[in-house]
Structures are given as C-alpha cells and as structure tokens.
Amino acid sequence: MDITVRESIPSDLPIINKIFNYAVLNTNYNLRIEPRSQEEAQQWFEKHKAENYPILSAVYQGEVVGWASLSHFREYEGYNTTAEVSVYVSKSYRHRGIGTMLLTELERRAKRYRLLIAVITDNNTASISLHSRCGFIPVCTLREIGCKNGEYISVTLMSKKLKNNVI
Ligand SMILES: CC(C)(COP(=O)(O)OP(=O)(O)OC[C@H]1O[C@@H](n2cnc3c(N)ncnc32)[C@H](O)[C@@H]1OP(=O)(O)O)[C@@H](O)C(=O)NCCC(=O)NCCS
C-alpha cells in the first residue's frame, strides 16, 4: 500500500473528525461520550497549529485514512517536556502498518519533548500492541478510573523516553 504521512491541512479536518467520532460513538477506547462537533474540531486544530503541536494525516490514494497528534499533557508548564500521543486509523484500513507509520513519524517530529505518553483503555489491545511495538512501556494502570456505556474502564499509561535533551 502506498501510504503517505504528511502534516494535516485544514481540508483534512472533516475526515479526521469522522475517524475520531467513530471511536467516540462505537468504542470504549476513548472516554468521550458525545461526538465532537466540526466547530470544536476546528478549535482543536487551530490550537495545535498555534502551539506548534503536530497533527499528521496518513493518506492513501488522496484519501485521509488515519491521523495522529501530539498534545499538551496537563496544564502546568512543568509538563512542557512531555507530550501526549493520539493515533486513529479508519476501521477498514487497520492492521496494515498505518498506525506504526503515524507513530514513527510523530516521534521523529517530537524533538521538543523528553517523554511521550499514551493514555490507553485497558480493553484496547490493538493500541497497547501498537505502542509496545513502537517502544512504549506500560507505566501503570489506573483501575476503573472511567465509566462509559455502563462499564467501569481501566486506563493504562504507556510512555517512551526520548533521547532529546530539551532543557
Ligand atoms: C490502535 C490503532 C491506531 C492501530 O492502528 P493500525 O494501523 O491497525 O496499527 P498497525 O497496523 O501499525 O499495527 C501495529 C500493531 O498493533 C497490533 N494490532 C493492530 N491491530 C490489532 C488488532 N485488531 N488486534 C490486536 N493487535 C492489533 C499488532 O500488534 C500490530 O503489530 P503487527 O503488525 O506486528 O502484528 C487502530 O486500531 C485504531 O485506530 N483503533 C481505534 C482508535 C484507537 O483506539 N486509538 C488509540 C487510542 S489510545
């Protein structure tokens, strides 16, 4: 498959949001309950661009089939050397290496950070495998920290220490 990973552009946003909302509405992998509106997605996109946090798109035959981003991890400045990763692949394109490509490219663009962190629900075996494969290590599991669709959800934090000296 000839997949290109590139920086996301504003016209990618509707499909990025569609892929995100599929996980919101159909899985317990993401603890958001209501779908994200296009307006909210626009604000998310603009904030990332303004703060220089990357959003990447995986493109196959001109169509966005997955995306990944780095985001600010918690509010205080003392966390500025850490970024949280997100990666989503369209359902019909999974298990073909696209998640790995996105995560690898995201890490290549993470020069400003010492630590990458992934917040993964315990039932998300695909995501846990993907992050393990890319060198993330499980740090801890927060038992029953969330609740969605009538189920208590445990969340595993996985992290990867980068070699960047950022201080
Ligand atoms: C998690 C996700 C991004 C993986 O993307 P992907 O493109 O399928 O990942 P890859 O094809 O690069 O696979 C990487 C590894 O993940 C694992 N994996 C992928 N799909 C899997 C599945 N359905 N079941 C078990 N393991 C799976 C495999 O170990 C694979 O390594 P391998 O090819 O050597 O076996 C994708 O399943 C997804 O979008 N899920 C819904 C959204 C989500 O949960 N995002 C993460 C939130 S933390």
Side-chain angles (χ1 to χ4, degrees):
M1 274 185 102
D2 196 6
I3 306 280
T4 310
V5 173
R6 57 150 173 80
E7 201 167 312
S8 303
I9 53 177
S11 58
D12 295 344
L13 198 49
I15 183 78
I16 287 175
N17 207 32
K18 191 173 166 199
I19 295 170
F20 177 78
N21 280 335
Y22 181 87
V24 172
L25 292 170
N26 296 287
T27 76
N28 286 354
Y29 300 158
N30 174 314
L31 292 191
R32 188 176 169 120
I33 289 170
E34 294 298 328
R36 187 171 66 178
S37 69
Q38 199 54 35
E39 194 183 24
E40 202 184 331
Q42 186 74 39
Q43 286 163 4
W44 167 82
F45 190 84
E46 282 165 11
K47 193 164 188 287
H48 272 66
K49 294 287 167 189
E51 295 176 353
N52 212 13
Y53 280 100
I55 305 176
L56 303 177
S57 295
V59 180
Y60 176 62
Q61 294 186 337
E63 187 193 342
V64 174
V65 294
W67 63 273
S69 64
L70 292 181
S71 304
H72 207 272
F73 178 71
R74 294 181 67 89
E75 186 191 352
Y76 299 130
E77 299 86 340
Y79 289 109
N80 282 353
T81 53
T82 291
E84 181 175 339
V85 305
S86 299
V87 51
Y88 287 76
V89 174
S90 181
K91 192 165 169 50
S92 40
Y93 288 89
R94 290 187 195 153
H95 225 167
R96 301 185 200 190
I98 298 173
T100 305
M101 283 178 73
L102 281 163
L103 204 47
T104 304
E105 181 59 19
L106 208 52
E107 184 181 331
R108 209 180 62 75
R109 293 176 186 234
K111 300 276 184 269
R112 287 197 289 153
Y113 308 103
R114 182 69 164 173
L115 195 85
L116 295 182
I117 191 148
V119 179
I120 306 175
T121 59
D122 240 17
N123 54 352
N124 196 348
T125 45
S127 186
I128 291 172
S129 303
L130 165 67
H131 287 83
S132 302
R133 186 191 206 212
C134 291
F136 284 66
I137 291 168
V139 179
C140 66
T141 297
L142 303 166
R143 299 265 166 227
E144 301 190 355
I145 191 173
C147 176
K148 185 173 174 185
N149 298 327
E151 249 185 83
Y152 294 114
I153 313 276
S154 299
V155 163
T156 293
L157 302 185
M158 295 184 78
S159 74
K160 181 169 184 177
K161 193 156 127 194
L162 306 180
K163 296 215 163 67
N164 309 325
N165 196 359
V166 294
I167 52 174

